[in-house]
Amino acid sequence: MFIKQIIIQGFKSYKDQTIIEPFSGQHNVIVGRNGAGKSNFFAAIRFVLSDAYTNMGREERQALLHEGSGAATMSAYVEIIFDNSDNRFPTGKDELVMRRTIGLKKDEYSLDRKTATKADVMSMLESAGFSRSNPYYIVPQGRITSLTNAKDHERLMLLKEVAGTRVYEQRRQESLKIISETETKRKNIEDLLVHIEQRLEELEEEKEELKLYQEHDRRRRCLEYTIYSRELKDVNTALEEMEEGHRQEIDGSNQQQKDFEEKETLLMALEQEINELKQHMELLLAEKRQLDHELESQVKAKAQIELRIKDHEENADLTAETKRKNQEEQKAIENEIQSKELELAQVIPDFQGYENEERQLREELGQVDLQRQTLYSKQGRSGQFESRAQRDDWIRKEMDEIQQSHNLQTSQAGLIENTLQTLRSQLKQVSEKIEAVRNQETLRKVESENLIAELVNIKAERDKLTDQRKELWREDAKLDSTLNNLREEHRKSERALSASMDKTTSAGLAAVARIAKTLNLEGVHGPLYELFDVDDQFDVAVNVAAGSSLFHIVVDTDQTATRVLEALNKEKAGRVTFMPLNRLNPKPAIYPEASDAIPMIEKLSFDPKFTKAFDQVFGRALICKTLEIAATYSRSYNLNGITLQGDQVDRKGALTGGYHDTRHSRLQSVKSIKSFNVKYQTATERCQTVKTEISSLDQRITGLLNKIQLIDVQRKLLLDKRETLALEFRSLTKDEAMLKESIDIKEKAYHNLAADLAILQAQLVALEEELKSEMAPALSAAEHRLLSDLVTRSDNLKERLSVLATERSKLGTRKDILEITLGSNLRPRLEELRNKIENSVMMSDDGLEKQRRNLASVLHSIQEIASRTKEIDEELEQTRKSVSEKESILEKHQAEQQEESRQMRKMQKNAERYVSRRNLLLRKKEDCTKNIRELGVLPEEAFEKYKNTTSEKLLKQIHKVNEELKKYSHVNKKAFEQYSNFTKQRDSLNQRKEELDASEAAIRELIQTLDQRKDEAIERTFKQVAKNFSEVFLRLVPAGRGRLIMQRKTDQRALNVDDDEEEDVDHASAIDNYSGIAIQVSFNSKMDEGLRMQQLSGGQKSLVALTLIFAIQQCDPAPFYLFDEIDANLDAAHRTAVAAMIHALSEQAQFITTTFRPEMLANADKFYGVTFQNKVSAVNAITKEEALEFVEQEQAR
């Protein structure tokens, strides 16, 4: 172990923090000019390690602080870091940091950066081998000089200090002091014993008179006891009678109190019921007013609807008649159309047959007429043409013209045929469109009917939802009124609860609730009264047990309480008491196992997480049947006993009680608040539900109204579509008729062209045949016959054609009439009737039927309102009757309660009189008891001797005895007691004297032992130091010789004896025979007697002093040594020898030395230079060369 590093700041000349480079574990040399701070450096080490700076005052501490220019130094510290690799310090670490800090008002130590006491530091140093009795491991300047000039007896004192005899001396002085004190105590005891013996002789004489006095006094006390005991018995009897009467009164009073409280509860219940009934009446009246208002509105609506219905019915009569006529006409027209269509279906085939037959006859007639005309032409051409060639030319020319006409008509027929195809195609398309329009109309009608049905259903659902909404509106109004009443009752209960506490607490509770909500503190559980429930019968007891603790705020931790308190202080919002669950630690209570006592906490219902809080408040509360039982258990189990009436016996003995007005109970107010909170919460939730349902119904009704509007729009669109379809149908029908007419015209034209083409073709054939035949002057017979037949056939055909034309004309006329009747009259009229009927249906739905439904709904509402109004009237009547009955009962009970209250006040006065009389008797009893107690111990005869003597005789005897006692007024009445006390005191003092004698003998034996041990320690130390001195001197002065000589008072001359003779010193001699230690040395011979210290030069004295220091150090080695300029007075040779010795010893211990000589630097390991600038010292590591150079410069100066 060695000093590894030193840090100094603010100490003497070391103002700034000076961190010295780590020292070597062997020899370290410090050089520096005088006044630079070398000695201050050593002083800093002594400041931490030695006793040189102990018990300093303010001025002494200030003297150690740096004084210089700049800011004043207020504190200083020195820190020494030890290398502890060899574990000499029992810390288990490789380093130990030891620091001492001082200021004007402080002086502190620390070990390894932890605060420690000076005793801890000294103990740590001693554990590492630093001896407080041998401070020579630090040798400051002047120590060598003081040893050089020391006298022989001073060296003896030094040896004693090294030997550790200071402890022996201290214990010997303490023992001598104890012996002196013992002698003083013994003398006092002997004086006191002489006084006691004298006093005992006096008391022997007083005992005889005291016996006579005691005889009379014993008689007096017996007589007085008899009188006092009789008085006490009379008082006890009176008390018992009073107690019995009072107990009966109390039983009656308790029963009356119980009945009174039950009636109070009944009255409160009746008042509550009456209030509830009145609130119910208010709700019913409010509902009735609302129903009356609704009824008035419904009646007005009924009158308006009836007027509208009347208007609709007046119009509906006409509308219904018109509708009926239209329906009848529609039916008639439908029948007529059906018959006309059937007739038309029959006429058209006949007409077409006639037309075909007529066309055939005309074609045949045209063929016959053509043949006949050909024969006539042929008959007339013989006169027309002169030759065949002329005839043939004309025929050919005629044939060409006919052929051209034929071709022209053929092309016309093709065109007509194409036109017919186009028209038929158009007709087909128009027919398909007409069919599509008819289908659309059918679909439109179906859709319209579906919309009407859906509209009816939606309106029915709307009316149903509207009725539900009205019911919800009424319920919402009731709930609003209920909530208002509940809020008012809640405020009343809160005011009652606030009235039971002071304003600051009330304000604090309100502020805590607000702060917890604002700061979102989940750890604030609320006041205690909100956290439990209890049966009503225990309310008074719980209220008394808890007291103001009911308003304590339960929180989870003290941090939560701190946050709330900070907010309360900031807002200045009242005062409350917090119960942090993490801080509560209630002691468990032991309860009696009995049927007449119940632990109060068992009757409370609360969350288990609040157990600590309830144990803290109710853990030592016990519910008892009577106050006597409560007092018994309170003393036995250290509990607070409480009756159901609220009377309490505190575990410390205090009794509290009296009447408790249950009407103003805190717990009742709390329960009322909780009850109203539950009701308010339920009503609020129901109100919210109702409002939600109303909102939902509003949305559904709005949705239905939107659907109705949408259906009305769709129906309007369908009506518009009907008009569009009707127009389109009429247009298409007209187009169809026109196309059919065009087709008929074109077909007729086509048939006519076909007939003309046939005639032309026949003419061509006839002309070709005529062209082939010869030109004859007249017709042949066959031709004449043919001509005759053709004329006949032509006439027949014309006759038949005339008949057919007549028939066809009749059918055509009939057909045209039917078609015109159907197309222009019947079918448009039918469509018109259908539209009218449909419009009337829609108007009926939107008009009369709607009003009738509205009227039915209004009548239903009026009926329901009337029914509900009737129910409300009946309920109001019943409620008024109940209120009247309950108010009568309440008045009756209140009158009875007032009478009972007067009786209770009367009983209370009786109780006060009882208490006054009882207190008087108790005082009398106490006086009797006191008098009896003052009589002292009584003889046996006192209890029986005067038992039958009358009181008058007793008084006379007492008077006589008192007269006798007056004769002995001078007697010492405590002679016997004093004699006994003095005897005991004498025995005690004798025993104490014997103990003091034994103690003195033991102490003298201890002193003898201490003297012997001290002699042994001094002689042992002297031998070791003397031996070490001779060896060290021989190493320093090889040619010389040195020794220490112990001097005695019996032999003052210097003894020149050998070392062996020195060892034969008589051990039996006392230490006080030693007078000093002399030194005898020789520097140049080992044989001569040598010289004494007074005969040596200054350098030799310094060397001898160093030898003595080394000898002492070797007796008690230290881990390191500090030498401050120990070689200052040595010559070169001796400095070299000292340096060599230090170098040799540095193998086992660390040396830190200062010097101005080069010899000390020769074998050193590390070098440090101390500089001083601006009144501030600094220590820096330097090289050996720099140190030598500095020493040489100093020597040159």
Side-chain angles (χ1 to χ4, degrees):
M1 186 206 77
F2 59 90
I3 296 176
K4 185 176 182 180
Q5 195 173 26
I6 298 176
I7 302 173
I8 309 173
Q9 180 175 339
F11 185 83
K12 290 194 173 183
S13 60
Y14 294 90
K15 177 182 180 181
D16 302 324
Q17 187 183 57
T18 302
I19 302 175
I20 302 172
E21 187 173 322
F23 292 97
S24 168
Q26 295 180 346
H27 189 193
N28 304 271
V29 178
I30 299 174
V31 298
R33 293 184 175 86
N34 287 328
K38 298 191 301 299
S39 297
N40 290 341
F41 171 76
F42 278 92
I45 298 175
R46 294 175 65 200
F47 170 70
V48 178
L49 301 180
S50 72
D51 292 335
Y53 298 95
T54 57
N55 300 323
M56 293 185 295
R58 178 185 177 94
E59 292 76 10
E60 294 171 313
R61 287 195 296 270
Q62 188 169 5
L64 296 179
L65 300 178
H66 175 78
E67 294 181 358
S69 60
T73 302
M74 303 306 295
S75 65
Y77 72 86
V78 179
E79 181 175 288
I80 301 177
I81 302 174
F82 293 95
D83 183 284
N84 193 36
S85 55
D86 57 356
N87 288 321
R88 289 190 68 169
F89 288 117
T91 61
K93 299 180 181 179
D94 293 337
E95 285 187 354
L96 174 69
V97 180
M98 188 177 294
R99 174 188 281 199
R100 184 177 181 185
T101 305
I102 61 166
L104 296 178
K105 295 182 180 180
K106 67 178 180 178
D107 188 356
E108 300 171 349
Y109 287 88
S110 67
L111 292 173
D112 285 335
R113 315 297 182 188
K114 296 180 181 177
T115 302
T117 63
K118 181 180 180 181
D120 296 334
V121 173
M122 294 299 112
S123 176
M124 184 68 72
L125 291 172
E126 290 179 358
S127 67
F130 295 92
S131 176
R132 298 181 66 180
S133 62
N134 182 13
Y136 285 95
Y137 63 92
I138 300 177
V139 182
Q141 287 185 14
R143 181 64 60 85
I144 301 296
T145 304
S146 63
L147 285 177
T148 300
N149 300 324
K151 305 296 182 181
D152 292 345
H153 71 275
E154 292 175 350
R155 282 191 286 271
L156 178 61
M157 295 303 297
L158 174 62
L159 186 64
K160 288 181 180 180
E161 185 177 357
V162 172
T165 60
R166 182 186 302 173
V167 177
Y168 295 118
E169 291 289 344
Q170 289 177 353
R171 296 186 64 183
R172 191 174 188 277
Q173 292 298 325
E174 291 173 358
S175 300
L176 291 174
K177 183 178 179 181
I178 293 173
I179 289 175
S180 176
E181 292 174 354
T182 302
E183 289 292 338
T184 303
K185 291 179 181 177
R186 183 189 298 148
K187 185 176 182 304
N188 293 333
I189 289 173
E190 290 175 352
D191 294 340
L192 190 57
L193 284 172
V194 172
H195 173 71
I196 289 173
E197 289 295 339
Q198 294 175 356
R199 184 61 182 146
L200 287 174
E201 292 176 359
E202 295 174 357
L203 290 174
E204 283 289 345
E205 298 175 357
E206 295 176 356
K207 282 169 61 178
E208 294 300 327
E209 292 181 352
L210 184 60
K211 286 181 182 179
L212 295 174
Y213 171 80
Q214 286 178 344
E215 181 66 28
H216 292 294
D217 185 64
R218 181 168 58 253
R219 186 181 174 193
R220 177 189 63 80
R221 288 189 290 121
C222 291
L223 292 169
E224 288 182 354
Y225 170 75
T226 304
I227 293 173
Y228 291 149
S229 62
R230 287 180 182 178
E231 289 181 2
L232 182 62
K233 184 178 180 181
D234 294 339
V235 169
N236 287 332
T237 303
L239 279 173
E240 288 176 1
E241 292 175 355
M242 285 183 64
E243 288 290 342
E244 182 63 27
H246 183 61
R247 191 176 296 110
Q248 293 177 0
E249 289 182 0
I250 286 177
D251 292 339
S253 175
N254 290 338
Q255 184 61 39
Q256 190 174 7
Q257 177 69 26
K258 186 176 180 181
D259 294 341
F260 184 81
E261 291 177 356
E262 289 178 356
K263 285 186 178 180
E264 283 291 336
T265 306
L266 179 61
L267 288 174
M268 291 173 64
L270 280 172
E271 290 176 352
Q272 183 67 25
E273 289 179 5
I274 291 171
N275 289 332
E276 290 177 356
L277 288 173
K278 288 182 178 179
Q279 291 177 7
H280 185 58
M281 285 176 62
E282 291 177 1
L283 291 175
L284 291 175
L285 290 172
E287 185 179 2
K288 184 179 179 182
R289 287 193 295 271
Q290 185 178 0
L291 289 174
D292 291 340
H293 179 70
E294 290 182 6
L295 180 62
E296 184 180 355
S297 300
Q298 294 294 338
V299 169
K300 290 180 180 179
K302 173 176 173 292
Q304 293 175 356
I305 291 171
E306 286 177 345
L307 289 174
R308 285 196 290 269
I309 288 175
K310 186 176 181 181
D311 293 338
H312 278 288
E313 285 178 346
E314 290 176 355
N315 295 328
D317 292 338
L318 297 175
T319 304
E321 181 66 22
T322 304
K323 181 179 178 182
R324 184 182 61 77
K325 290 180 179 180
N326 288 336
Q327 288 176 346
E328 291 176 355
E329 185 179 359
Q330 177 187 2
K331 187 174 182 181
I333 289 175
E334 286 176 349
N335 293 332
E336 187 176 357
I337 287 173
Q338 185 177 2
S339 64
K340 295 292 183 183
E341 286 178 345
L342 289 175
E343 185 180 358
L344 183 61
Q346 293 175 359
V347 168
I348 288 174
D350 294 340
F351 177 75
Q352 290 176 350
Y354 278 118
E355 277 190 337
N356 291 332
E357 186 176 358
E358 183 181 5
R359 185 172 58 255
Q360 291 175 359
L361 287 175
R362 287 186 182 282
E363 290 176 355
E364 186 179 355
L365 180 59
Q367 292 291 337
V368 170
D369 288 341
L370 179 60
Q371 289 179 3
R372 190 184 65 178
Q373 186 65 34
T374 302
L375 289 175
Y376 282 143
S377 297
K378 184 177 179 181
Q379 184 178 2
R381 267 191 291 276
S382 60
Q384 184 180 0
F385 301 105
E386 295 178 355
S387 62
R388 180 180 179 180
Q390 189 178 1
R391 184 202 66 176
D392 290 341
D393 292 336
W394 181 83
I395 289 173
R396 288 188 182 91
K397 186 178 178 181
E398 191 68 20
M399 287 179 65
D400 291 336
E401 292 177 355
I402 292 172
Q403 187 63 43
Q404 290 178 358
S405 179
H406 185 275
N407 291 336
L408 179 61
Q409 290 184 0
T410 300
S411 62
Q412 290 179 352
L415 292 172
I416 291 172
E417 187 176 2
N418 292 333
T419 304
L420 281 173
Q421 290 179 354
T422 303
L423 291 173
R424 288 192 184 101
S425 176
Q426 292 177 353
L427 180 61
K428 184 178 179 181
Q429 292 176 357
V430 169
S431 299
E432 291 176 353
K433 289 181 180 180
I434 290 172
E435 187 64 25
V437 170
R438 286 175 178 167
N439 292 333
Q440 289 181 10
E441 176 64 15
T442 303
L443 292 174
R444 186 197 66 77
K445 290 181 179 179
V446 172
E447 188 175 356
S448 178
E449 292 173 356
N450 292 335
L451 287 175
I452 291 171
E454 184 180 0
L455 183 63
V456 171
N457 293 331
I458 289 174
K459 288 183 177 180
E461 185 177 0
R462 179 201 61 188
D463 296 338
K464 180 181 177 181
L465 293 178
T466 302
D467 293 338
Q468 292 179 3
R469 184 172 62 178
K470 289 179 181 179
E471 292 295 329
L472 290 174
W473 279 344
R474 283 193 287 269
E475 185 178 359
D476 185 47
K478 289 181 182 179
L479 288 171
D480 287 339
S481 178
T482 302
L483 286 173
N484 290 331
N485 292 331
L486 288 174
R487 278 193 290 268
E488 183 61 29
E489 293 295 332
H490 185 271
R491 281 194 291 270
K492 289 181 180 178
S493 298
E494 283 188 338
R495 285 195 296 269
L497 183 62
S498 298
S500 65
M501 67 182 88
D502 57 272
K503 292 183 179 180
T504 56
T505 303
S506 177
L509 291 176
V512 168
R514 184 178 67 256
I515 290 167
K517 185 176 181 181
T518 303
L519 299 181
N520 195 21
L521 297 177
E522 297 180 357
V524 179
H525 304 299
L528 191 69
Y529 65 75
E530 291 183 354
L531 305 179
F532 73 96
D533 291 314
V534 65
D535 193 78
D536 291 344
Q537 62 177 326
F538 303 110
D539 278 356
V540 176
V542 171
N543 198 12
V544 171
S548 60
S549 298
L550 284 174
F551 307 116
H552 291 179
I553 303 295
V554 179
V555 295
D556 54 355
T557 63
D558 48 354
Q559 288 83 1
T560 303
T562 302
R563 291 186 62 188
V564 179
L565 279 174
E566 290 174 353
L568 280 175
N569 291 328
K570 186 176 181 181
E571 295 182 7
K572 298 180 180 179
R575 296 179 61 84
V576 292
T577 302
F578 290 94
M579 300 179 71
L581 295 176
N582 67 324
R583 292 288 187 182
L584 298 179
N585 190 19
K587 295 181 180 179
I590 300 175
Y591 301 107
E593 296 181 1
S595 60
D596 53 359
I598 307 169
M600 182 175 290
I601 200 166
E602 294 181 0
K603 297 301 178 180
L604 305 180
S605 301
F606 55 87
D607 194 318
K609 68 181 180 180
F610 305 128
T611 301
K612 286 186 176 181
F614 285 95
D615 283 343
Q616 181 76 19
V617 178
F618 301 103
R620 293 194 171 275
L622 194 68
I623 300 175
C624 303
K625 289 184 177 179
T626 64
L627 200 60
E628 290 77 9
I629 296 172
T632 301
Y633 289 133
S634 178
R635 289 190 300 269
S636 303
Y637 292 89
N638 194 27
L639 300 173
N640 298 327
I642 305 170
T643 65
L644 293 176
Q645 291 75 29
D647 298 330
Q648 180 179 6
V649 180
D650 191 81
R651 62 179 183 268
K652 296 180 180 179
L655 274 74
T656 57
Y659 172 68
H660 290 274
D661 190 352
T662 56
R663 293 175 299 179
H664 300 92
S665 171
R666 292 172 175 174
L667 290 181
Q668 285 298 329
S669 299
V670 171
K671 288 182 179 180
S672 298
I673 291 173
K674 288 183 178 180
S675 174
F676 288 130
N677 284 339
V678 172
K679 292 179 181 178
Y680 186 81
Q681 183 67 24
T682 304
T684 303
E685 291 175 356
R686 178 56 187 165
C687 185
Q688 188 64 34
T689 302
V690 168
K691 290 185 183 300
T692 303
E693 291 178 0
I694 290 173
S695 177
S696 176
L697 287 176
D698 288 339
Q699 293 176 359
R700 291 175 64 186
I701 291 171
T702 303
L704 292 176
L705 292 175
N706 292 333
K707 286 184 179 180
I708 291 172
Q709 292 177 355
L710 181 61
I711 291 173
D712 289 338
V713 171
Q714 291 176 350
R715 289 180 65 195
K716 185 176 180 181
L717 291 175
L718 289 176
L719 287 174
D720 296 340
K721 186 176 181 182
R722 183 189 66 183
E723 296 295 332
T724 303
L725 290 175
L727 290 174
E728 186 177 0
F729 181 78
R730 286 193 292 270
S731 176
L732 290 173
T733 304
K734 185 177 180 181
D735 292 341
E736 184 186 27
M738 291 175 64
L739 287 172
K740 286 181 178 180
E741 185 178 357
S742 298
I743 289 171
D744 290 340
I745 293 171
K746 293 297 181 181
E747 284 180 347
K748 288 179 180 179
Y750 180 78
H751 289 304
N752 291 333
L753 285 174
D756 292 340
L757 287 173
I759 292 172
L760 291 174
Q761 187 64 33
Q763 287 179 352
L764 287 173
V765 172
L767 288 174
E768 285 181 356
E769 289 179 358
E770 186 179 0
L771 185 62
K772 293 177 181 178
S773 65
E774 291 293 334
M775 184 175 175
L779 296 173
S780 63
E783 292 176 343
H784 280 289
R785 286 194 297 274
L786 179 60
L787 181 61
S788 178
D789 292 336
L790 290 172
V791 171
T792 303
R793 286 180 62 192
S794 175
D795 292 337
N796 291 334
L797 288 172
K798 288 180 178 179
E799 185 178 356
R800 289 177 58 190
L801 185 61
S802 176
V803 173
L804 284 174
T806 303
E807 293 297 327
R808 179 189 61 78
S809 177
K810 290 180 180 179
L811 289 175
T813 302
R814 183 58 182 166
K815 170 178 165 292
D816 293 339
I817 292 170
L818 289 174
E819 288 179 347
I820 291 169
T821 302
L822 287 172
S824 301
N825 186 12
L826 294 179
R827 286 196 180 102
R829 180 58 180 169
L830 179 62
E831 185 67 23
E832 181 182 358
L833 289 173
R834 284 177 177 173
N835 291 336
K836 287 182 178 181
I837 291 170
E838 184 176 357
N839 290 334
S840 66
V841 170
M842 293 181 65
M843 289 177 63
S844 174
D845 179 69
D846 289 337
L848 184 60
E849 292 300 323
K850 178 179 179 181
Q851 296 301 326
R852 284 175 177 171
R853 285 197 301 272
N854 292 338
L855 180 60
S857 175
V858 169
L859 290 174
H860 179 69
S861 298
I862 291 173
Q863 185 178 1
E864 287 184 348
I865 291 170
S867 175
R868 179 58 185 161
T869 303
K870 184 178 179 182
E871 293 176 0
I872 290 173
D873 289 337
E874 293 175 355
E875 191 171 356
L876 277 172
E877 184 62 28
Q878 187 66 31
T879 305
R880 288 193 184 97
K881 186 176 179 181
S882 298
V883 169
S884 178
E885 292 175 355
K886 290 184 182 297
E887 285 179 344
S888 299
I889 295 172
L890 179 63
E891 290 175 358
K892 180 180 177 182
H893 284 308
Q894 284 177 342
E896 294 175 355
Q897 197 74 340
Q898 289 177 357
E899 181 62 29
E900 289 183 3
S901 179
R902 284 194 293 271
Q903 292 294 331
M904 288 179 66
R905 287 195 295 272
K906 183 177 179 181
M907 292 181 68
Q908 187 174 1
K909 291 180 180 178
N910 292 335
E912 291 174 357
R913 286 195 293 271
Y914 157 78
V915 170
S916 178
R917 289 179 58 198
R918 183 174 180 273
N919 290 335
L920 183 62
L921 290 173
L922 286 174
R923 285 195 296 272
K924 190 172 182 181
K925 179 181 178 180
E926 288 177 0
D927 292 340
C928 292
T929 305
K930 181 180 178 182
N931 291 331
I932 292 173
R933 189 166 52 249
E934 289 176 351
L935 293 175
V937 181
L938 297 171
E940 291 294 333
E941 62 183 13
F943 303 102
E944 298 293 338
K945 184 176 181 180
Y946 302 103
K947 186 176 182 181
N948 297 322
T949 305
T950 62
S951 298
E952 294 178 357
K953 290 182 178 181
L954 289 174
L955 291 173
K956 290 179 180 179
Q957 291 182 22
I958 286 175
H959 179 71
K960 185 177 179 180
V961 169
N962 286 331
E963 291 296 330
E964 290 292 331
L965 286 173
K966 288 180 180 179
K967 299 176 181 179
Y968 299 96
S969 59
H970 64 282
V971 174
N972 182 7
K973 299 177 180 61
K974 295 184 179 180
F976 288 107
E977 183 181 355
Q978 290 175 354
Y979 186 85
S980 176
N981 291 336
F982 279 119
T983 304
K984 291 179 181 178
Q985 190 174 4
R986 181 186 61 187
D987 296 339
S988 176
L989 290 172
N990 287 326
Q991 183 180 359
R992 178 60 177 157
K993 182 180 177 183
E994 293 174 358
E995 291 174 355
L996 289 174
D997 292 339
S999 176
E1000 182 181 359
I1003 291 171
R1004 291 190 180 280
E1005 183 180 355
L1006 174 63
I1007 291 172
Q1008 184 178 0
T1009 303
L1010 290 174
D1011 289 341
Q1012 182 180 353
R1013 289 180 181 178
K1014 184 171 66 172
D1015 291 344
E1016 292 174 355
I1018 291 175
E1019 291 177 1
R1020 183 173 59 253
T1021 303
F1022 173 74
K1023 289 179 180 180
Q1024 189 175 0
V1025 171
K1027 180 182 178 182
N1028 293 338
F1029 181 84
S1030 299
E1031 293 174 354
V1032 171
F1033 191 81
L1034 183 61
R1035 290 181 65 181
L1036 295 177
V1037 186
R1041 176 188 179 198
R1043 60 180 179 172
L1044 300 179
I1045 301 171
M1046 179 68 74
Q1047 294 179 336
R1048 305 177 187 274
K1049 293 181 180 179
T1050 57
D1051 187 9
Q1052 294 295 331
R1053 59 186 179 82
L1055 299 177
N1056 296 320
V1057 294
D1058 295 334
D1059 290 342
D1060 295 336
E1061 293 175 350
E1062 191 67 36
E1063 293 177 0
D1064 294 334
V1065 176
D1066 186 6
H1067 289 286
S1069 61
I1071 190 171
D1072 293 334
N1073 291 328
Y1074 299 145
S1075 61
I1077 296 176
I1079 299 176
Q1080 191 176 46
V1081 295
S1082 174
F1083 283 86
N1084 51 15
S1085 175
K1086 296 184 180 179
M1087 301 304 294
D1088 60 2
E1089 292 182 358
L1091 301 174
R1092 296 300 180 97
M1093 285 293 288
Q1094 294 82 359
Q1095 299 172 321
L1096 299 178
S1097 65
Q1100 290 174 338
K1101 289 181 179 179
S1102 296
L1103 182 63
V1104 172
L1106 273 174
T1107 303
L1108 181 59
I1109 289 174
F1110 282 128
I1112 293 172
Q1113 289 176 347
Q1114 288 184 10
C1115 288
D1116 189 8
F1120 62 87
Y1121 298 95
L1122 307 177
F1123 291 162
D1124 189 6
E1125 298 183 15
I1126 60 173
D1127 58 350
N1129 297 324
L1130 301 179
D1131 54 20
H1134 292 156
R1135 285 198 299 271
T1136 303
V1138 170
M1141 186 172 181
I1142 290 175
H1143 180 68
L1145 293 175
S1146 66
E1147 296 295 332
Q1148 289 80 33
Q1150 182 189 42
F1151 283 84
I1152 301 175
T1153 64
T1154 64
T1155 185
F1156 284 103
R1157 307 299 180 182
E1159 290 80 9
M1160 195 68 74
L1161 303 174
N1163 297 316
D1165 296 292
K1166 294 198 72 174
F1167 307 90
Y1168 299 86
V1170 179
T1171 60
F1172 186 74
Q1173 188 174 5
N1174 296 328
K1175 296 184 179 181
V1176 177
S1177 298
V1179 181
N1180 299 300
I1182 60 176
T1183 63
K1184 183 177 182 180
E1185 291 74 15
E1186 290 174 339
L1188 287 170
E1189 182 180 357
F1190 173 80
V1191 170
E1192 290 173 357
Q1193 290 177 358
E1194 287 296 313
Q1195 288 180 345
R1197 293 174 60 185

